[in-house]
Amino acid sequence: MKNLFPASFLERLISVFGFLFIIASLNPFFGFPQFDSQPFSTIFAFFFLFLLLIAGKFFRPERELIYSLCFIVAGCFVGILLDNHLNLMSLRAIAGYCSIFLYYLAYEHYLRYFGFPLKIFQFFVLAWILVGILQLIEPSIVSNFVAQRSSADRGVTSLSPEATHFGIFLFFSSWLILIFKNYKADKVNLLILLSALLSILFLAKSSMTFLFIVIAFFFYCAYLFIRKRYLQLFIINYIFILLCMLSIVFISPDNRIFFIILKILSEGFYLFHSDESAFSRLSDIIFPFIGLIENHLLPGGFTSFGKKFYMFYDLMFWPTYQDGKKIMSWTMSMWYELGFFGLIAWLYLLKLSLIKASNRSILETFFLFLLLFSAIPALFPLPIMVMVLLKSGNKIIVTSKA
């Protein structure tokens, strides 16, 4: 294809849209307050890839990614036919699934041509934390740009609609920095990571993100055990127990994390009977799976789960029927809405992440895909970037220019 623009002009445009794509990816909820997730990262990813195609710098994606996209498209098409209903919710869901592949390709190309944007990540992690601190003084400081659904007692939301999403952002952005640094953080990054951890505990107060950290700890222990680093394993466990004891002393009893831990210790599984939020998280995993089986693995479509949810009244401790309820789980929404098409697409993404994987990256990949069962939106870009980094094994990352 003959270039319509001078090479230097195209290169600048590619650089600008690549930069805008990264910025939008680190601010996925900032924009129109009527919506939780924003479309800007998808739009910038499309133009970034389109300009690369014009410039002849677009490289062919892996076949596993192509197969996964084909099954997603087929699942969306069959889901619409079986559901016999197309509305804004359906279109947003379809856009979310297509965005997975735009994000994947855009990140892969950005990392190859520009390197990992470490400084941008550092800046926005601190910016999110700063906004969270300011919300302690003025909770509505960003309400004109971000949909906010959480009350102040559940934790601050920063540049996201919920405290949980604030915690998820800090967790994934910190993990990406650690992967890029090969888990050997210098003083600057160590300070940023410590600030993110403290913000998860004391600003976001996100029990789900705290659960992510606990699961990460167990995966790390498994890695040390596989590598036969028993002394290091003992020291890590000792430090973890010590930190848990200190947390009990310093974390306020009003803290959501502290509250959930006490509930688990005192009530066990009965926690899901007494806490609506905990039950909601669990139900968004279990009920879509039951619905998938009842549908004989056929796509459930994008609007039918609300009716399925209503049918589970007799199983529910917190019966709050919502017509058109959205499944708050990255994986289970794909499985239920797209049926076996979504399941196969998910398996291809998993296979793609395991190509030429080391023992450590295998554990990291299974950890990531385990987290994707939780309440992570499809339009949240950072887990896709983790997939790209884990698949690349840092081999395509030449430098960190941005």
Side-chain angles (χ1 to χ4, degrees), residues 134-394:
L134 292 175
Q135 280 183 331
L136 295 174
I137 305 168
E138 178 50 63
S140 61
I141 189 171
V142 291
S143 59
N144 290 330
F145 304 99
V146 179
Q148 293 178 309
R149 297 195 301 263
S150 294
S151 56
D153 60 313
R154 297 291 295 272
V156 299
T157 60
S158 188
L159 297 172
S160 69
E162 296 183 14
T164 296
H165 291 153
F166 179 25
I168 289 173
F169 170 82
L170 291 176
F171 179 86
F172 276 101
S173 55
S174 300
W175 190 14
L176 282 160
I177 292 173
L178 280 171
I179 295 173
F180 173 69
K181 301 298 289 185
N182 200 24
Y183 296 92
K184 297 175 183 177
D186 52 28
K187 290 182 180 179
V188 173
N189 287 306
L190 194 60
L191 183 61
I192 291 172
L193 295 173
L194 181 60
S195 301
L197 176 61
L198 293 174
S199 298
I200 289 170
L201 294 175
F202 298 105
L203 290 178
K205 302 177 187 178
S206 170
S207 53
M208 193 175 83
T209 313
F210 181 75
L211 179 62
F212 286 5
I213 296 171
V214 172
I215 297 172
F217 168 76
F218 285 113
F219 269 85
Y220 184 59
C221 288
Y223 172 72
L224 293 177
F225 184 80
I226 291 171
R227 298 297 297 270
K228 298 182 179 180
R229 297 178 182 175
Y230 301 123
L231 178 60
Q232 192 175 348
L233 180 61
F234 172 78
I235 294 171
I236 289 294
N237 277 276
Y238 179 81
I239 293 173
F240 182 76
I241 293 171
L242 182 63
L243 288 174
C244 288
M245 293 174 66
L246 289 173
S247 298
I248 293 173
V249 175
F250 290 106
I251 295 180
S252 166
D254 297 330
N255 191 295
R256 173 76 177 163
I257 297 173
F258 187 84
F259 172 77
I260 290 294
I261 292 173
L262 288 181
K263 281 268 192 179
I264 292 172
L265 293 175
S266 61
E267 300 179 6
F269 191 78
Y270 193 76
L271 163 73
F272 298 106
H273 186 285
S274 60
D275 189 274
E276 183 176 3
S277 178
F279 176 77
S280 176
R281 303 299 186 198
L282 180 66
S283 67
D284 279 336
I285 297 174
I286 294 177
F287 290 165
F289 184 76
I290 296 173
L292 175 68
I293 301 302
E294 285 192 349
N295 291 337
H296 307 292
L297 300 185
L298 291 174
F302 308 106
T303 62
S304 67
F305 184 70
K307 299 179 181 65
K308 287 278 184 185
F309 200 65
Y310 179 76
M311 291 168 61
F312 295 136
Y313 257 24
D314 56 334
L315 300 175
M316 295 172 61
F317 305 115
W318 298 91
T320 51
Y321 170 64
Q322 301 175 45
D323 189 17
K325 172 181 165 55
K326 176 72 176 164
I327 301 170
M328 297 302 293
S329 167
W330 195 95
T331 294
M332 293 315 301
S333 61
M334 182 182 290
W335 288 10
Y336 174 82
E337 292 174 348
L338 307 182
F340 73 91
F341 294 102
L343 177 59
I344 296 173
W346 185 87
L347 289 172
Y348 269 119
L349 288 174
L350 177 61
K351 180 185 177 184
L352 181 62
S353 301
L354 291 173
I355 293 175
K356 298 180 181 179
S358 63
N359 287 336
R360 192 187 79 184
S361 57
I362 288 173
L363 285 173
E364 290 170 323
T365 298
F366 280 111
F367 173 56
L368 170 64
F369 277 77
L370 178 62
L371 297 187
L372 290 178
F373 280 91
S374 67
I376 297 174
L379 280 168
F380 187 60
L382 296 189
I384 309 302
M385 192 168 199
V386 173
M387 288 185 197
V388 175
L389 277 180
L390 293 180
K391 184 197 68 99
S392 70
N394 279 349

Side-chain angles (χ1 to χ4, degrees), residues 21 48-49 52 59-62 65 101-115 352 384-385 387-389 391-392 396-397:
F21 167 62
F48 175 60
L49 293 171
L52 285 170
F59 54 85
R60 185 179 177 181
E62 294 86 347
L65 189 65
F101 304 96
L102 283 176
Y103 294 159
Y104 197 102
L105 289 171
Y107 280 133
E108 203 167 27
H109 283 78
Y110 187 91
L111 291 172
R112 176 168 293 190
Y113 292 122
F114 299 100
L352 181 62
I384 309 302
M385 192 168 199
M387 288 185 197
V388 175
L389 277 180
K391 184 197 68 99
S392 70
I396 64 170
I397 304 170

